[in-house]
């Protein structure tokens, strides 16, 4: 039995069809009628309460989100400082030697120490992997020391025109690392790389050898300032040595030591950094003492004899 049409449906036939269609369709869920109010209610239901264990985690994640890029930038900055910071101290010394055309104030054995230390550190990386910035630092330092040697050799040979030419093939220990050509230094470095690389290849599986290799690398680097310290003591002066270089040594070695400790680098690296800071402070003490209390010039026997004869 069909339902009686309403009075307004009798006057408007189109309303009758609409009501029949609406009656045949199921009622729309109430959530569709809510619109934006329902989304707000759902968000409220999904938001954890103040006492919920999820609340601290979400709040911490939201607070730490903006800090992530800052932390990454800080990490990249520290890595860049480690890679390039080691060569910065030699820029003023290089410019000073080039300007004055005098390399007597700079000890070329500093280059020898750094070349040996960084070659050993690269070989140590094959036995015990450490952070990539330290590896790149060694590669860049080797290139820098070769450039320093090239400049010092050219300046010294130009100032010693009458001196006898020495070469690496002479195998004369008295004139070791005081050769007349830059190519001789390159030959010596390549020979050391070949010998050390061959020994490392043979004993790479030995944990004792790998740890000893790492210790030799960092201990050699820790003795970086010793040649300069001895040269200053022998000359009784720091003339010709760039004080800016030593100040950058000290600041760089301090930063490097803190970096090693915070990043839990192998213990050899931390020991190296501490020793380097001590040597740098000793050189700075020499700068203060020799500037405040100038040493008397050392008189050579030949000069004394000629004075007496006059």
């Amino acid at each position: 039995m069909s339902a009686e049409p309403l009075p307004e449906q009798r006057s408007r036939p189109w309303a009758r069809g609409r009501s029949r269609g609406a009656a045949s369709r199921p009622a729309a869920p109430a959530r569709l009628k809510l619109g934006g109010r329902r989304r707000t209610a759902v968000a409220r239901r999904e938001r954890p309460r103040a006492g919920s264990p999820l609340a601290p985690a979400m709040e911490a994640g939201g607070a730490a989100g903006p800090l992530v890029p800052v932390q990454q930038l800080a990490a990249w900055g520290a890595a860049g400082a480690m890679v390039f910071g080691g060569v910065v101290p030699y820029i003023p010394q290089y410019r000073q030697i080039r300007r004055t055309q005098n390399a007597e104030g700079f000890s070329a054995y500093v280059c020898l120490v750094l070349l040996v230390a960084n070659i050993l550190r690269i070989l140590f990386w094959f036995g015990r992997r450490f952070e990539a910035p330290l590896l790149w630092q060694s590669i860049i330092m080797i290139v820098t020391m070769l450039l320093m040697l090239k400049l010092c050799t050219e300046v010294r040979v130009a100032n010693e025109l009458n001196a006898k030419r020495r070469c690496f093939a002479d195998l004369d220990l008295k004139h070791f690392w005081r050769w007349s050509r830059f190519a001789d230094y390159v030959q010596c470095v390549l020979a050391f790389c070949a010998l050390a690389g061959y020994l490392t290849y043979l004993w790479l599986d030995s944990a004792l050898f790998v740890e000893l290799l790492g210790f030799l690398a960092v201990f050699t680097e820790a003795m970086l300032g010793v040649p300069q310290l001895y040269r200053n003591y022998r000359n009784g002066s720091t003339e010709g040595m760039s004080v800016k270089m030593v100040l950058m040594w000290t600041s760089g070695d301090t930063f490097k030591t803190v970096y090693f400790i915070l990043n839990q680098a192998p213990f050899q690296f931390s020991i190296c950094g501490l020793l380097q800071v001590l040597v740098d402070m000793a050189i700075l003490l020499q700068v203060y003492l020799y500037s405040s209390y100038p040493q008397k010039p050392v008189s050579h026997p030949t000069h004394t004899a000629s004075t007496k004869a006059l």
Side-chain angles (χ1 to χ4, degrees):
M1 186 174 179
S2 62
E4 185 75 18
L6 297 176
E8 64 176 348
Q9 292 179 355
R10 292 174 186 170
S11 60
R12 292 180 296 178
W14 55 269
R16 185 186 309 174
R18 189 177 62 179
S19 65
R20 290 177 180 176
S24 61
R25 290 195 305 269
R31 66 182 179 209
L32 296 178
K33 298 179 181 179
L34 295 176
R37 289 182 295 174
R38 186 189 182 280
R39 288 194 293 269
T40 305
V42 171
R44 289 177 179 174
R45 287 198 301 269
E46 291 179 353
R47 183 184 302 168
R49 296 179 180 178
S52 173
L54 297 178
M58 293 185 67
E59 292 177 359
L67 296 179
V68 172
V70 178
Q71 294 176 354
Q72 291 180 350
L73 290 176
W76 293 341
M82 284 300 302
V83 173
F84 299 101
V87 303
V88 172
Y90 299 96
I91 296 177
Q93 183 67 68
Y94 184 92
R95 295 179 60 184
Q96 181 174 341
I97 295 175
R98 193 176 186 86
R99 184 182 68 254
T100 61
Q101 290 296 306
N102 184 4
E104 291 300 322
F106 177 74
S107 176
Y109 289 100
V110 171
C111 300
L112 172 63
V113 170
L114 280 176
L115 285 171
V116 172
N118 286 280
I119 290 171
L120 293 178
R121 186 196 287 185
I122 292 175
L123 296 177
F124 176 61
W125 181 83
F126 289 98
R128 184 176 176 182
R129 301 296 172 90
F130 47 83
E131 293 186 349
L134 300 179
L135 179 64
W136 282 107
Q137 181 197 46
S138 297
I139 297 174
I140 294 177
M141 183 62 72
I142 290 175
V143 176
T144 304
M145 290 301 101
L146 290 176
L147 292 176
M148 288 290 296
L149 274 177
K150 186 175 184 299
L151 177 63
C152 292
T153 304
E154 292 175 353
V155 171
R156 181 168 49 82
V157 171
N159 294 334
E160 299 176 356
L161 298 177
N162 297 327
K164 183 180 179 180
R165 296 293 184 259
R166 306 288 180 178
C167 62
F168 172 67
D170 295 338
L171 301 178
D172 188 358
L173 295 179
K174 293 181 180 180
H175 297 89
F176 177 77
W177 210 250
R178 287 191 60 85
W179 301 307
S180 304
R181 297 183 309 163
F182 174 68
D184 295 311
Y185 293 95
V186 176
Q187 292 175 9
C188 179
V189 172
L190 292 178
F192 177 77
C193 290
L195 178 61
Y198 179 70
L199 294 177
T200 304
Y201 176 77
L202 293 179
W203 297 92
L204 192 60
D205 296 333
S206 174
L208 179 61
F209 175 82
V210 172
E211 294 298 330
L212 179 62
L213 186 65
F215 177 77
L216 289 176
V218 296
F219 182 76
T220 305
E221 186 176 358
M223 297 295 104
L224 165 65
V226 173
Q228 191 67 53
L229 185 71
Y230 174 73
R231 190 182 190 90
N232 296 339
Y233 172 76
R234 189 185 63 182
N235 295 338
S237 172
T238 58
E239 184 179 357
M241 182 195 71
S242 176
V243 180
K244 293 181 181 178
M245 178 187 69
V246 182
L247 289 174
M248 291 181 181
W249 276 358
T250 308
S251 59
D253 292 337
T254 304
F255 171 80
K256 182 170 59 177
T257 304
V258 175
Y259 181 88
F260 290 156
I261 296 174
L262 294 180
N263 289 273
Q264 298 180 352
F267 73 96
Q268 297 98 328
F269 290 85
S270 300
I271 296 175
C272 161
L274 292 174
L275 289 177
Q276 280 184 293
V277 171
L278 293 177
V279 175
D280 296 341
M281 294 177 65
I283 297 177
L284 288 176
L285 182 61
Q286 282 184 329
V287 174
Y288 170 75
L289 292 177
Y290 293 153
S291 60
S292 302
Y293 308 98
Q295 304 294 312
K296 295 181 179 180
V298 180
S299 59
H300 299 280
T302 54
H303 294 170
T304 306
S306 58
T307 304
K308 289 182 180 180
L310 293 174

